[in-house]
Amino acid sequence: DITPDKKIPYSYKKIPYVYKRGSFQKATKKFFLKNFGDKKGFIENYLQNNDVDFNNVDDVRKLFKAVIK
């Protein structure tokens, strides 16, 4: 029985993943550098100039869009 004053031992968190070749991979700096190696300099520059939180879907989406431009 769930009541408003009862603590639930679960939490909810959105974690960005990228779908690549039939599987989902967690979006991390390492993932971007490995999978977009030809844009390594661009990615490193972007990360220096933008505060990217890899646990934030919007931040990862902005980085992804910038990389595939």
Side-chain angles (χ1 to χ4, degrees), residues 24-43:
F24 288 96
Q25 298 180 27
K26 188 173 179 184
T28 61
K29 178 180 177 178
K30 183 178 177 180
F31 169 85
F32 277 93
L33 292 174
K34 179 180 175 186
N35 291 282
F36 299 100
D38 59 325
K39 296 190 176 189
K40 181 179 179 179
F42 174 83
I43 294 168

Side-chain angles (χ1 to χ4, degrees), residues 8-60:
I8 301 172
Y10 301 100
S11 64
Y12 173 82
K13 183 177 180 181
K14 287 184 180 182
I15 301 173
Y17 280 80
V18 178
Y19 186 76
K20 182 183 178 203
R21 295 190 184 127
S23 67
F24 288 96
Q25 298 180 27
K26 188 173 179 184
T28 61
K29 178 180 177 178
K30 183 178 177 180
F31 169 85
F32 277 93
L33 292 174
K34 179 180 175 186
N35 291 282
F36 299 100
D38 59 325
K39 296 190 176 189
K40 181 179 179 179
F42 174 83
I43 294 168
E44 288 175 341
N45 186 47
Y46 185 95
L47 294 175
Q48 284 181 342
N49 294 311
N50 298 277
D51 187 26
V52 177
D53 176 1
F54 284 96
N55 290 315
N56 182 297
V57 175
D58 292 328
D59 284 359
V60 172

